[in-house]
Structure formats: structure tokens, C-alpha cells
Short mmCIF file of all heavy atoms in Angstrom, two decimals:
data_model
loop_
_atom_site.label_atom_id
_atom_site.label_comp_id
_atom_site.label_asym_id
_atom_site.label_seq_id
_atom_site.Cartn_x
_atom_site.Cartn_y
_atom_site.Cartn_z
N GLN A 1 -38.24 68.74 18.02
CA GLN A 1 -39.62 69.13 18.27
C GLN A 1 -40.54 68.03 17.71
O GLN A 1 -40.26 67.47 16.66
CB GLN A 1 -39.89 70.49 17.62
CG GLN A 1 -41.09 71.24 18.19
CD GLN A 1 -42.39 70.85 17.52
OE1 GLN A 1 -42.41 70.25 16.47
NE2 GLN A 1 -43.50 71.18 18.15
N ILE A 2 -41.63 67.74 18.41
CA ILE A 2 -42.38 66.54 18.20
C ILE A 2 -42.81 66.32 16.73
O ILE A 2 -42.71 65.21 16.24
CB ILE A 2 -43.59 66.47 19.17
CG1 ILE A 2 -44.27 65.12 19.12
CG2 ILE A 2 -44.58 67.60 18.88
CD1 ILE A 2 -43.51 64.03 19.84
N ILE A 3 -43.30 67.35 16.04
CA ILE A 3 -43.75 67.11 14.68
C ILE A 3 -42.64 67.21 13.64
O ILE A 3 -42.86 67.03 12.48
CB ILE A 3 -44.92 68.03 14.29
CG1 ILE A 3 -44.47 69.50 14.25
CG2 ILE A 3 -46.12 67.83 15.21
CD1 ILE A 3 -45.50 70.41 13.55
N GLU A 4 -41.43 67.53 14.12
CA GLU A 4 -40.30 67.62 13.20
C GLU A 4 -39.45 66.34 13.19
O GLU A 4 -38.44 66.27 12.47
CB GLU A 4 -39.41 68.81 13.59
CG GLU A 4 -40.13 70.18 13.40
CD GLU A 4 -39.34 71.34 13.92
OE1 GLU A 4 -38.21 71.11 14.43
OE2 GLU A 4 -39.84 72.46 13.82
N ILE A 5 -39.84 65.36 13.97
CA ILE A 5 -39.10 64.10 13.98
C ILE A 5 -39.51 63.27 12.76
O ILE A 5 -40.69 63.00 12.53
CB ILE A 5 -39.41 63.31 15.29
CG1 ILE A 5 -39.02 64.15 16.49
CG2 ILE A 5 -38.67 61.98 15.29
CD1 ILE A 5 -39.53 63.57 17.80
N SER A 6 -38.54 62.86 11.98
CA SER A 6 -38.80 62.13 10.76
C SER A 6 -39.13 60.69 11.09
O SER A 6 -38.92 60.17 12.18
CB SER A 6 -37.55 62.16 9.88
OG SER A 6 -36.49 61.42 10.50
N ASP A 7 -39.72 60.00 10.09
CA ASP A 7 -40.00 58.56 10.24
C ASP A 7 -38.70 57.83 10.59
O ASP A 7 -38.71 56.94 11.46
CB ASP A 7 -40.54 57.97 8.94
CG ASP A 7 -42.00 58.38 8.69
OD1 ASP A 7 -42.55 59.17 9.44
OD2 ASP A 7 -42.57 57.87 7.69
N GLU A 8 -37.64 58.18 9.93
CA GLU A 8 -36.34 57.51 10.19
C GLU A 8 -35.91 57.68 11.64
O GLU A 8 -35.45 56.74 12.27
CB GLU A 8 -35.27 58.08 9.22
CG GLU A 8 -33.91 57.43 9.42
CD GLU A 8 -32.84 58.06 8.56
OE1 GLU A 8 -33.11 59.13 7.94
OE2 GLU A 8 -31.74 57.48 8.48
N ASP A 9 -36.08 58.89 12.18
CA ASP A 9 -35.65 59.13 13.54
C ASP A 9 -36.60 58.45 14.57
O ASP A 9 -36.16 58.01 15.62
CB ASP A 9 -35.54 60.62 13.82
CG ASP A 9 -34.23 61.17 13.36
OD1 ASP A 9 -33.32 60.38 12.99
OD2 ASP A 9 -34.08 62.43 13.32
N TRP A 10 -37.89 58.35 14.26
CA TRP A 10 -38.80 57.59 15.11
C TRP A 10 -38.35 56.13 15.16
O TRP A 10 -38.31 55.50 16.23
CB TRP A 10 -40.23 57.66 14.65
CG TRP A 10 -40.95 58.91 15.09
CD1 TRP A 10 -41.47 59.89 14.27
CD2 TRP A 10 -41.25 59.30 16.43
NE1 TRP A 10 -42.06 60.86 15.04
CE2 TRP A 10 -41.94 60.54 16.37
CE3 TRP A 10 -40.98 58.74 17.68
CZ2 TRP A 10 -42.39 61.21 17.50
CZ3 TRP A 10 -41.43 59.41 18.83
CH2 TRP A 10 -42.12 60.62 18.72
N HIS A 11 -37.96 55.59 14.00
CA HIS A 11 -37.49 54.20 13.97
C HIS A 11 -36.20 54.06 14.77
O HIS A 11 -36.01 53.05 15.48
CB HIS A 11 -37.31 53.73 12.55
CG HIS A 11 -38.60 53.42 11.83
ND1 HIS A 11 -39.40 52.40 12.18
CD2 HIS A 11 -39.18 54.02 10.77
CE1 HIS A 11 -40.44 52.34 11.41
NE2 HIS A 11 -40.33 53.32 10.52
N LYS A 12 -35.33 55.05 14.66
CA LYS A 12 -34.09 55.02 15.49
C LYS A 12 -34.40 55.04 16.97
O LYS A 12 -33.75 54.37 17.79
CB LYS A 12 -33.19 56.24 15.11
CG LYS A 12 -32.50 56.13 13.77
CD LYS A 12 -31.67 57.36 13.51
CE LYS A 12 -30.99 57.26 12.13
NZ LYS A 12 -30.25 58.53 11.81
N GLY A 13 -35.40 55.85 17.36
CA GLY A 13 -35.79 55.91 18.76
C GLY A 13 -36.32 54.55 19.26
O GLY A 13 -35.98 54.10 20.36
N ILE A 14 -37.13 53.88 18.42
CA ILE A 14 -37.63 52.58 18.79
C ILE A 14 -36.46 51.56 18.91
O ILE A 14 -36.43 50.76 19.87
CB ILE A 14 -38.65 52.08 17.75
CG1 ILE A 14 -39.91 52.98 17.75
CG2 ILE A 14 -39.05 50.64 18.02
CD1 ILE A 14 -40.70 52.97 19.00
N ASP A 15 -35.53 51.66 18.01
CA ASP A 15 -34.35 50.79 18.06
C ASP A 15 -33.55 51.03 19.34
O ASP A 15 -33.08 50.09 19.98
CB ASP A 15 -33.43 51.02 16.88
CG ASP A 15 -33.76 50.17 15.67
OD1 ASP A 15 -34.37 49.11 15.85
OD2 ASP A 15 -33.35 50.52 14.57
N THR A 16 -33.40 52.29 19.72
CA THR A 16 -32.56 52.66 20.84
C THR A 16 -33.19 52.35 22.17
O THR A 16 -32.55 51.84 23.09
CB THR A 16 -32.22 54.14 20.76
OG1 THR A 16 -31.56 54.44 19.53
CG2 THR A 16 -31.32 54.59 21.92
N TYR A 17 -34.48 52.64 22.32
CA TYR A 17 -35.13 52.65 23.63
C TYR A 17 -36.12 51.53 23.86
O TYR A 17 -36.61 51.34 24.98
CB TYR A 17 -35.86 53.97 23.84
CG TYR A 17 -34.96 55.20 23.83
CD1 TYR A 17 -35.18 56.20 22.91
CD2 TYR A 17 -33.96 55.34 24.74
CE1 TYR A 17 -34.39 57.34 22.90
CE2 TYR A 17 -33.18 56.47 24.77
CZ TYR A 17 -33.37 57.47 23.84
OH TYR A 17 -32.57 58.62 23.85
N PHE A 18 -36.46 50.76 22.83
CA PHE A 18 -37.41 49.64 22.98
C PHE A 18 -36.81 48.33 22.55
O PHE A 18 -36.66 47.37 23.33
CB PHE A 18 -38.68 49.95 22.23
CG PHE A 18 -39.72 48.84 22.26
CD1 PHE A 18 -40.28 48.44 23.44
CD2 PHE A 18 -40.04 48.13 21.08
CE1 PHE A 18 -41.22 47.39 23.46
CE2 PHE A 18 -40.96 47.13 21.10
CZ PHE A 18 -41.52 46.73 22.30
N LEU A 19 -36.40 48.27 21.29
CA LEU A 19 -35.84 46.99 20.78
C LEU A 19 -34.50 46.66 21.43
O LEU A 19 -34.09 45.49 21.43
CB LEU A 19 -35.69 47.06 19.27
CG LEU A 19 -37.02 47.09 18.50
CD1 LEU A 19 -36.78 47.24 17.02
CD2 LEU A 19 -37.84 45.85 18.77
N ASN A 20 -33.84 47.65 22.06
CA ASN A 20 -32.63 47.34 22.83
C ASN A 20 -32.87 46.33 23.92
O ASN A 20 -32.00 45.57 24.33
CB ASN A 20 -32.04 48.61 23.43
CG ASN A 20 -32.88 49.14 24.58
OD1 ASN A 20 -34.07 49.44 24.42
ND2 ASN A 20 -32.28 49.22 25.75
N ALA A 21 -34.10 46.34 24.45
CA ALA A 21 -34.47 45.36 25.50
C ALA A 21 -35.09 44.11 24.89
O ALA A 21 -34.89 42.98 25.40
CB ALA A 21 -35.47 45.99 26.45
N VAL A 22 -35.85 44.25 23.82
CA VAL A 22 -36.55 43.11 23.20
C VAL A 22 -35.53 42.10 22.65
O VAL A 22 -35.67 40.88 22.85
CB VAL A 22 -37.47 43.59 22.09
CG1 VAL A 22 -38.06 42.41 21.31
CG2 VAL A 22 -38.60 44.44 22.67
N ARG A 23 -34.50 42.58 21.96
CA ARG A 23 -33.55 41.68 21.29
C ARG A 23 -32.83 40.74 22.28
O ARG A 23 -32.85 39.52 22.10
CB ARG A 23 -32.51 42.49 20.48
CG ARG A 23 -33.12 43.22 19.31
CD ARG A 23 -32.04 43.90 18.48
NE ARG A 23 -32.61 44.75 17.46
CZ ARG A 23 -32.70 46.09 17.58
NH1 ARG A 23 -32.26 46.69 18.68
NH2 ARG A 23 -33.23 46.80 16.61
N PRO A 24 -32.17 41.27 23.32
CA PRO A 24 -31.49 40.35 24.24
C PRO A 24 -32.47 39.51 25.06
O PRO A 24 -32.13 38.38 25.47
CB PRO A 24 -30.65 41.26 25.12
CG PRO A 24 -31.28 42.62 25.00
CD PRO A 24 -31.85 42.68 23.61
N THR A 25 -33.66 40.03 25.31
CA THR A 25 -34.68 39.25 26.04
C THR A 25 -35.01 37.98 25.28
O THR A 25 -35.18 36.91 25.88
CB THR A 25 -35.93 40.10 26.32
OG1 THR A 25 -35.56 41.17 27.19
CG2 THR A 25 -37.02 39.27 26.93
N ARG A 26 -35.13 38.08 23.98
CA ARG A 26 -35.41 36.88 23.15
C ARG A 26 -34.32 35.83 23.32
O ARG A 26 -34.62 34.63 23.31
CB ARG A 26 -35.51 37.25 21.69
CG ARG A 26 -36.81 37.86 21.23
CD ARG A 26 -36.97 37.83 19.76
NE ARG A 26 -35.98 38.65 19.09
CZ ARG A 26 -36.21 39.78 18.41
NH1 ARG A 26 -37.47 40.24 18.35
NH2 ARG A 26 -35.25 40.44 17.84
N LEU A 27 -33.08 36.26 23.49
CA LEU A 27 -31.96 35.34 23.57
C LEU A 27 -31.86 34.72 24.97
O LEU A 27 -31.54 33.50 25.07
CB LEU A 27 -30.66 36.05 23.26
CG LEU A 27 -30.53 36.55 21.82
CD1 LEU A 27 -29.27 37.43 21.67
CD2 LEU A 27 -30.43 35.35 20.85
N VAL A 28 -32.09 35.45 26.02
CA VAL A 28 -31.87 34.93 27.37
C VAL A 28 -33.09 34.16 27.91
O VAL A 28 -32.91 33.30 28.79
CB VAL A 28 -31.47 36.01 28.38
CG1 VAL A 28 -30.24 36.76 27.91
CG2 VAL A 28 -32.61 36.95 28.70
N THR A 29 -34.28 34.45 27.41
CA THR A 29 -35.47 33.83 27.98
C THR A 29 -35.43 32.27 27.91
O THR A 29 -35.74 31.63 28.92
CB THR A 29 -36.72 34.39 27.33
OG1 THR A 29 -36.81 35.78 27.61
CG2 THR A 29 -37.99 33.72 27.88
N PRO A 30 -35.07 31.68 26.78
CA PRO A 30 -35.02 30.21 26.78
C PRO A 30 -34.00 29.66 27.78
O PRO A 30 -34.24 28.59 28.38
CB PRO A 30 -34.62 29.87 25.33
CG PRO A 30 -35.04 31.04 24.53
CD PRO A 30 -34.83 32.23 25.43
N VAL A 31 -32.89 30.35 27.98
CA VAL A 31 -31.89 29.92 28.96
C VAL A 31 -32.51 29.98 30.36
O VAL A 31 -32.38 29.06 31.16
CB VAL A 31 -30.62 30.81 28.89
CG1 VAL A 31 -29.63 30.42 29.94
CG2 VAL A 31 -30.03 30.75 27.49
N MET A 32 -33.18 31.07 30.66
CA MET A 32 -33.79 31.24 31.97
C MET A 32 -34.93 30.23 32.16
O MET A 32 -35.12 29.73 33.29
CB MET A 32 -34.28 32.67 32.15
CG MET A 32 -33.14 33.67 32.24
SD MET A 32 -33.73 35.40 32.35
CE MET A 32 -32.17 36.28 32.64
N GLN A 33 -35.66 29.93 31.12
CA GLN A 33 -36.72 28.90 31.22
C GLN A 33 -36.13 27.56 31.60
O GLN A 33 -36.68 26.83 32.44
CB GLN A 33 -37.49 28.79 29.92
CG GLN A 33 -38.50 29.89 29.67
CD GLN A 33 -39.24 29.64 28.38
OE1 GLN A 33 -38.66 29.64 27.29
NE2 GLN A 33 -40.56 29.42 28.47
N SER A 34 -35.01 27.21 30.98
CA SER A 34 -34.38 25.91 31.30
C SER A 34 -33.87 25.87 32.73
O SER A 34 -33.82 24.79 33.32
CB SER A 34 -33.24 25.66 30.33
OG SER A 34 -32.13 26.51 30.55
N GLN A 35 -33.54 27.02 33.29
CA GLN A 35 -33.04 27.11 34.68
C GLN A 35 -34.20 27.20 35.69
O GLN A 35 -34.01 27.06 36.88
CB GLN A 35 -32.19 28.37 34.87
CG GLN A 35 -30.98 28.43 34.03
CD GLN A 35 -30.34 29.84 33.98
OE1 GLN A 35 -29.32 30.02 33.35
NE2 GLN A 35 -30.96 30.82 34.62
N LYS A 36 -35.38 27.57 35.16
CA LYS A 36 -36.54 27.88 35.99
C LYS A 36 -36.23 29.10 36.91
O LYS A 36 -36.76 29.17 38.02
CB LYS A 36 -36.99 26.69 36.85
CG LYS A 36 -37.81 25.67 36.06
CD LYS A 36 -39.13 26.28 35.66
CE LYS A 36 -40.03 25.27 34.93
NZ LYS A 36 -41.30 25.86 34.52
N SER A 37 -35.43 30.04 36.43
CA SER A 37 -35.18 31.26 37.17
C SER A 37 -34.48 32.27 36.27
O SER A 37 -33.74 31.90 35.35
CB SER A 37 -34.31 30.98 38.41
OG SER A 37 -33.00 30.56 37.97
N GLY A 38 -34.70 33.54 36.58
CA GLY A 38 -34.02 34.59 35.85
C GLY A 38 -34.64 35.95 36.13
O GLY A 38 -35.80 36.05 36.55
N VAL A 39 -33.87 36.97 35.98
CA VAL A 39 -34.28 38.35 36.23
C VAL A 39 -33.85 39.21 35.05
O VAL A 39 -32.67 39.19 34.66
CB VAL A 39 -33.73 38.90 37.53
CG1 VAL A 39 -34.25 40.33 37.77
CG2 VAL A 39 -34.00 38.00 38.70
N ILE A 40 -34.78 40.01 34.52
CA ILE A 40 -34.45 40.99 33.49
C ILE A 40 -34.86 42.35 33.98
O ILE A 40 -35.96 42.55 34.48
CB ILE A 40 -35.17 40.67 32.18
CG1 ILE A 40 -34.81 39.26 31.69
CG2 ILE A 40 -34.85 41.71 31.09
CD1 ILE A 40 -35.64 38.76 30.51
N ILE A 41 -33.90 43.32 33.91
CA ILE A 41 -34.10 44.66 34.40
C ILE A 41 -33.79 45.64 33.31
O ILE A 41 -32.69 45.64 32.75
CB ILE A 41 -33.20 44.94 35.64
CG1 ILE A 41 -33.49 43.94 36.75
CG2 ILE A 41 -33.43 46.37 36.14
CD1 ILE A 41 -32.36 43.79 37.75
N ASN A 42 -34.76 46.47 32.93
CA ASN A 42 -34.59 47.45 31.89
C ASN A 42 -34.42 48.82 32.50
O ASN A 42 -35.25 49.27 33.30
CB ASN A 42 -35.81 47.45 30.96
CG ASN A 42 -36.14 46.10 30.38
OD1 ASN A 42 -35.23 45.39 29.92
ND2 ASN A 42 -37.38 45.65 30.49
N ILE A 43 -33.37 49.52 32.08
CA ILE A 43 -33.20 50.91 32.50
C ILE A 43 -34.05 51.77 31.57
O ILE A 43 -33.73 51.89 30.39
CB ILE A 43 -31.73 51.34 32.51
CG1 ILE A 43 -30.93 50.46 33.46
CG2 ILE A 43 -31.59 52.82 32.91
CD1 ILE A 43 -29.42 50.76 33.48
N SER A 44 -35.08 52.37 32.11
CA SER A 44 -36.03 53.14 31.33
C SER A 44 -35.83 54.63 31.66
O SER A 44 -34.69 55.11 31.70
CB SER A 44 -37.45 52.67 31.62
OG SER A 44 -38.42 53.40 30.89
N THR A 45 -36.89 55.35 31.89
CA THR A 45 -36.82 56.78 32.23
C THR A 45 -38.02 57.20 33.07
O THR A 45 -39.11 56.66 32.92
CB THR A 45 -36.79 57.64 30.96
OG1 THR A 45 -36.77 59.04 31.30
CG2 THR A 45 -38.01 57.40 30.07
#
């Protein structure tokens, strides 16, 4: 329930559903820049 979610669990949610895309994007973007092409697709909801 929305007000029963702890700070720790909000951070877990951000790790699971947001930073899961940010982390690998940081790694592949320089590679794709050097190629002048690339596609990133995030499975959201």
C-alpha cells in the first residue's frame, strides 16, 4: 500500500525499474556513438 512502502523499498523499486536501464545505457552509448548507430529498447509497463 502506497504509504506503507519504506524508504528502502522505494530505493529497491528505483533500482529494479529505472536504474536497470540507466546502468547498461551508460556502457553501450559510447560504443554506439563510435558506430554512429544503435537502438536501446526498455521494457516498461
Side-chain angles (χ1 to χ4, degrees):
Q1 201 273 344
I2 189 75
I3 66 167
E4 295 173 0
I5 301 170
S6 66
D7 286 5
E8 181 183 11
D9 278 349
W10 278 117
H11 284 295
K12 287 179 181 176
I14 297 294
D15 270 340
T16 302
Y17 298 121
F18 176 65
L19 291 176
N20 72 300
V22 173
R23 294 185 188 99
T25 294
R26 280 196 297 248
L27 294 171
V28 304
T29 298
V31 177
M32 292 177 173
Q33 282 183 297
S34 70
Q35 300 165 177
K36 281 293 182 180
S37 66
V39 182
I40 301 172
I41 302 159
N42 305 312
I43 300 178
S44 180
T45 177

